[in-house]
Amino acid sequence: HELNKWNNFVEDFLSLNISTIKEIKVKLDISTQTAINWRHKLLSALAKKENTFCNESIEFDETYFRISRKGRKDMPINNKPAYKEWRKSLVGDNDYMVKVFVSYGRENEHLDFTVSHMGRSKLKHLTDYFSPEKFNHIKIISDKHPTYKGFCKRNNIPHETFNSKEHATGENNQIHNQTINAYMRDFKFFVNRYLKGVSTKYLPAYAKWFEFITNAKKAVQKNISKVKFNLADTICNNILSDFNGLSIYRMFELNFEQFLKDNGRTDYGTCKNHYYAA
């Protein structure tokens, strides 16, 4: 009976047309806290999965979200209406935006979403992201961002560029980032419109969720004529056997505080979810 509930939960999880926590609670006849724990155990298991790129042309770009402390309490905000108006005024690239690096390998068609930092991108952020363990013998295709150009030149990485306003170069129709532009648009819609915003604490996990669903669908489409399997059953069994998932879930709070500290923030607030006290 418990396994059937998990199967139903995972099928909903894999569709990206996810139900709310309240809907899951009613549908599966479980508590609110159990629904939250199940969702975040799945997200935690996905968050530690990393793609690798080797001998590929990489479309690379970045997108950003306003810093969000959604769901936290004891925040030092005296005038909430003024705070909301200030948040609405935050547009474009600024110090309060959380950057997400996005890569797409054209040969293997793998997609990667990684939450990196806050504020403008610097050489250090690119160095941390393009680690030798993850990227090996690649060519980067991007716009003419000076930091991208400086990083590639310093590390002897082949680099093809185009004007960001034109989205492509007229000289070679292969030099563009149209693929990841579409994925970034879909991800922002998923986070901002469908989920009604996501706390920055959970943004890395939701980014890996979106990445996993996209990559899994591609893999299934490629092999649909060769193999037959129930994807939900496979994922369910893997997650149930992953005893590290909930441990990673408990680390989200500490990781978020470290992320804020690394980016010069001190107003952490407190987490109202009692699960972190377990």
Side-chain angles (χ1 to χ4, degrees), residues 131-228:
S131 64
E133 296 79 17
K134 188 171 181 177
F135 295 90
N136 192 13
H137 296 102
I138 60 169
K139 176 176 73 175
I140 295 177
I141 302 171
S142 74
D143 60 36
K144 295 182 179 180
H145 194 299
T147 305
Y148 301 168
K149 293 173 68 174
F151 170 77
C152 291
K153 184 176 181 180
R154 176 176 294 189
N155 293 277
N156 297 315
I157 298 175
H159 188 206
E160 299 281 1
T161 63
F162 57 89
N163 291 323
S164 58
K165 292 183 179 179
E166 299 174 0
H167 303 291
T169 175
E171 301 173 359
N172 185 344
N173 60 10
Q174 292 300 309
I175 303 176
H176 66 81
N177 268 2
Q178 298 292 61
T179 310
I180 57 172
N181 284 341
Y183 285 127
M184 288 192 297
R185 178 199 62 208
D186 292 344
F187 180 59
K188 297 202 81 166
F189 179 87
F190 174 60
V191 170
N192 292 331
R193 299 295 180 86
Y194 195 85
L195 296 175
K196 309 300 182 186
V198 169
S199 169
T200 299
K201 176 169 68 176
Y202 294 123
L203 186 60
Y206 281 93
K208 289 301 178 185
W209 182 4
F210 183 87
E211 169 194 310
F212 172 80
I213 296 299
T214 304
N215 289 335
K217 286 182 177 178
K218 286 181 176 292
V220 171
Q221 290 170 355
K222 284 183 177 180
N223 297 285
I224 196 68
S225 60
K226 298 180 181 179
V227 295
K228 294 182 180 180

Side-chain angles (χ1 to χ4, degrees), residues 39-40 43 65-73 75 87 98 100 115 118 187 190-192 195-207 252-253 255-257 259-260 267-273 276:
R39 172 177 288 182
H40 286 96
L43 290 175
F65 297 83
R66 278 194 292 261
I67 180 71
S68 172
R69 298 173 178 85
K70 181 179 179 181
R72 302 185 75 77
K73 61 180 182 178
M75 295 294 297
R87 278 182 57 81
V98 178
V100 181
V115 176
M118 291 176 63
F187 180 59
F190 174 60
V191 170
N192 292 331
L195 296 175
K196 309 300 182 186
V198 169
S199 169
T200 299
K201 176 169 68 176
Y202 294 123
L203 186 60
Y206 281 93
F252 278 157
E253 177 69 11
N255 291 340
F256 178 57
E257 291 187 5
F259 177 82
L260 292 175
D267 48 346
Y268 305 150
T270 58
C271 176
K272 67 180 181 180
N273 189 339
Y276 289 107

